[in-house]
Amino acid sequence: MKTIGVLGLQGAVQEHLKQIEALGMNGLIVKKPEQMNEIDGLIIPGGESTAIKNLIVRYGFLAPLRDFSQKGKPILGTCAGMVLLAKEITDTDESHLGLMDIKVKRNAYGRQRDSFEVDLEVKGIEDVFPSVFIRAPYIEAVGGNVEVLATYEDKIVAARQGNLMVSSFHPELTADTRFINLFAELVDAPAMAPVAP
Amino acid sequence: MEKLIGSETVKRGMAQMQKGGVIMDVVNAEQAKIAEASGAVAVMALERVPSDIRAAGGVARMADPRIVEEVLNAVSIPVMAKARIGHIVEARVLEAMGVDYIDESEVLTPADEEFHLLKSDYTVPFVCGCRDLGEASRRIGEGAAMLRTKGEPGTGNIVEAVRHMRKVQAQVRKVVHMNDDELMTEAKLLGAPYEVLKQIRAEGKLPVVNFAAGGVATPADAALMMELGADGVFVGSGVFKSENPEKFASAIVQATTYYNDYELIGKLSKELGSAMKGIDISKLSAEERMQERGW
């Protein structure tokens, strides 16, 4: 059975783990870089992107995370995870992991009082998906081979590029495991070519 | 579902995103930036940190909106602010300013000695202090989306936060293992809403995130609270009343993430300079104990 890790530095770690286990897969909280060798796919959860980035750098996760992606192993980033995976972040020269060809605007919908829930159509999921946006980012621009999975009011809120998948919303805050299942299918699929750095 | 703002999921979810993190008290933009750079997941904008509130005496109110605004503009992480217990207008003003979370806090002088805010009425989420499961459940019943231990703020003494965290955890464990027919009497004994206890029993845990607060002064204190089951840590006076705030802030963040890596915590605690000077809580008079505020 394949194992999906959840980057356990900060944020909604247990919530993701619960969904992975509900799908009947192995889940592992990853707190040390060497644990990256024990997993087949990784979820970077929602949390505070600046806090998670800080710990990624300080605890030597930067190279192992990039390596993992270069091997074509799947990574899912939700909310803060999307910000961390993006090659470009609006209004700053700085990117974090810089892996996926997307340009992401942080806190794009405003402050917490503007956080919302809405049902969205997501490619690969039948019917609608309950989508929870919390101080969420959205994608302003995508590179050539990025597949858009969901939009809300004309903004891209979920996408996939090869082994990388992102969402602005928090599937882990719902009881609906279908979005995580899309990622699990990616983890189960044969290895794929990595996204070019 | 049409777009829905201020829902329970969105309010509680915001606190879930803070898990495993440290929320720091700050009194200006400069401190807020230090907190953000050290890896804090949020800042609490205040006019004075709790230890200075103790020293100043008098009535402690919501911070000057200029300070709150200054902090809101300084950082991209969430900004929290405190309103007095039961002070509807302070809370509404903070909500209108765009504060991300309001702490209905016993650190400030209560505005109402009978009723807390009806927090479910607001779009902005609230965090409240608790010493036991009765208090925790009443706050959840009023709509709090996050809890924290009360501890004894501004003392640099962890003993009360430990007491409150252990108490809540033990009472949750008891409720989770109760039979259906025992739950109503437990609700009566705790002074807790029955529906909230039913939810705790069904989920096997509190329905909202519960942080530690009130006395965290060192990296080891923060790690201790995580070890006892806290979802994260508030540090009030501990950071900016220490000798070296940057180092302290960063060490507390790391100790919170790696709370069971004792070798690391030892390393982090070296050459930190001195922590804030603490207070022996038994020397405080009943009126000086902030944890007694709230009902």
Side-chain angles (χ1 to χ4, degrees):
Chain A
M1 196 195 298
K2 300 243 173 142
T3 300
I4 297 181
V6 184
L7 189 63
L9 299 175
Q10 190 271 313
V13 179
Q14 289 298 339
E15 288 81 350
H16 271 299
L17 196 69
K18 203 171 147 193
Q19 289 216 342
I20 293 165
E21 286 168 355
L23 289 172
M25 299 186 79
N26 281 330
L28 180 72
I29 297 177
V30 176
K31 291 188 95 167
K32 299 271 163 89
E34 54 269 26
Q35 290 175 289
M36 298 286 295
N37 300 322
E38 299 167 37
I39 58 173
D40 305 292
L42 178 74
I43 296 176
I44 304 179
E48 282 307 316
S49 58
T50 45
I52 297 175
K53 165 73 187 309
N54 199 304
L55 291 161
I56 283 177
V57 173
R58 196 182 287 274
Y59 285 92
F61 268 104
L62 214 47
L65 283 168
R66 287 179 175 150
D67 265 13
F68 192 78
S69 177
Q70 286 316 305
K71 285 179 193 150
K73 294 201 180 171
I75 305 179
L76 166 67
T78 60
C79 195
M82 171 194 270
V83 176
L84 288 159
L85 285 174
K87 279 192 182 165
E88 255 192 283
I89 299 168
T90 307
D91 298 329
T92 155
D93 295 334
E94 186 192 13
S95 70
H96 299 319
L97 295 169
L99 292 172
M100 187 169 173
D101 290 305
I102 52 174
K103 181 180 179 184
V104 170
K105 187 176 162 73
R106 294 184 61 206
N107 300 339
Y109 294 94
R111 307 201 69 97
Q112 171 59 20
R113 64 180 173 192
D114 307 303
S115 294
F116 60 97
E117 295 180 66
V118 70
D119 284 340
L120 291 183
E121 284 178 19
V122 178
K123 208 168 169 177
I125 295 177
E126 269 184 50
D127 204 10
V128 289
F129 188 78
S131 309
V132 184
F133 291 77
I134 295 178
R135 288 171 47 93
Y138 60 61
I139 300 173
E140 283 195 319
V142 297
N145 59 345
V146 174
E147 181 188 14
V148 173
L149 298 178
T151 61
Y152 176 62
E153 291 178 342
D154 300 328
K155 305 291 186 206
I156 301 168
V157 294
R160 189 195 141 189
Q161 183 182 25
N163 56 319
L164 305 174
M165 206 170 132
V166 290
S167 71
S168 302
F169 49 85
H170 294 281
E172 76 277 18
L173 290 185
T174 70
D176 193 325
T177 55
R178 291 177 297 165
F179 192 84
I180 303 294
N181 192 47
L182 283 183
F183 177 67
E185 283 170 11
L186 213 57
V187 177
D188 266 333
M192 60 197 88
V195 173
Chain B
M1 188 207 305
E2 291 293 297
K3 178 176 177 175
L4 183 64
I5 59 165
S7 67
E8 199 170 75
T9 304
V10 158
K11 292 200 250 185
R12 291 178 178 181
M14 160 73 201
Q16 285 167 275
M17 295 309 134
Q18 304 268 297
K19 287 199 313 186
V22 181
I23 299 167
M24 298 181 194
D25 280 1
V26 299
V27 299
N28 55 41
E30 187 199 352
Q31 290 187 354
K33 285 182 173 152
I34 291 173
E36 184 176 46
S38 73
V41 291
V43 290
M44 177 79 71
L46 288 164
E47 203 155 314
R48 282 193 279 264
V49 296
S51 64
D52 287 339
I53 289 174
R54 280 189 187 283
V59 176
R61 309 180 180 90
M62 170 185 87
D64 182 332
R66 274 182 308 182
I67 293 175
V68 177
E69 195 172 71
E70 181 185 322
V71 172
L72 280 168
N73 292 332
V75 292
S76 68
I77 55 176
V79 174
M80 302 186 170
K82 290 183 194 288
R84 281 180 268 177
I85 290 172
H87 204 306
I88 298 165
V89 174
E90 282 189 355
R92 286 295 183 192
V93 167
L94 292 172
E95 179 180 53
M97 289 184 71
V99 160
D100 295 296
Y101 235 95
I102 297 176
D103 185 355
E104 185 185 20
S105 178
E106 68 281 4
V107 168
L108 306 180
T109 311
D112 192 321
E113 295 194 332
E114 203 171 350
F115 303 110
H116 281 253
L117 295 167
L118 183 60
K119 293 163 278 287
S120 53
D121 254 12
Y122 295 69
T123 304
V124 66
F126 281 82
V127 55
C128 286
C130 62
R131 288 173 300 178
D132 55 45
L133 187 57
E135 204 170 17
S137 304
R138 291 193 294 278
R139 299 296 86 82
I140 293 168
E142 292 153 356
M146 179 182 190
L147 295 168
R148 55 172 174 75
T149 59
K150 284 182 161 177
E152 193 51 52
T155 60
N157 190 337
I158 199 68
V159 65
E160 295 299 309
V162 167
R163 190 191 321 280
H164 301 160
M165 184 56 73
R166 280 197 181 275
K167 183 89 180 271
V168 171
Q169 303 266 357
Q171 290 173 319
V172 166
R173 280 195 297 273
K174 184 175 172 206
V175 164
V176 167
H177 291 104
M178 276 186 159
N179 292 330
D180 279 341
D181 53 5
E182 295 169 334
L183 214 52
M184 184 59 85
T185 297
E186 188 67 7
K188 184 184 89 173
L189 294 173
L190 289 172
Y194 178 59
E195 293 303 322
V196 174
L197 292 194
K198 269 186 20 184
Q199 202 182 347
I200 290 169
R201 209 187 51 140
E203 292 182 22
K205 61 181 182 57
L206 286 169
V208 302
V209 160
N210 187 20
F211 271 45
V216 176
T218 65
D221 287 347
L224 168 63
M225 296 314 298
M226 294 300 288
E227 185 107 32
L228 292 176
D231 290 310
V233 178
F234 281 88
V235 186
S237 321
V239 170
F240 291 99
K241 287 290 163 189
S242 72
E243 200 177 326
N244 189 335
E246 280 95 342
K247 268 192 168 174
F248 246 85
S250 172
I252 288 178
V253 168
Q254 294 174 64
T256 302
T257 303
Y258 292 105
Y259 62 91
N260 47 13
D261 186 339
Y262 310 118
E263 206 177 314
L264 174 73
I265 295 167
K267 210 165 74 187
L268 290 170
S269 306
K270 271 194 281 188
E271 293 161 22
L272 268 185
S274 53
M276 68 178 286
K277 192 174 178 307
I279 295 175
D280 179 354
I281 291 165
S282 64
K283 302 281 193 303
L284 292 176
S285 67
E287 302 80 63
E288 288 171 317
R289 285 161 62 94
M290 291 174 174
Q291 62 173 286
E292 311 296 340
R293 299 164 170 176
W295 3 98

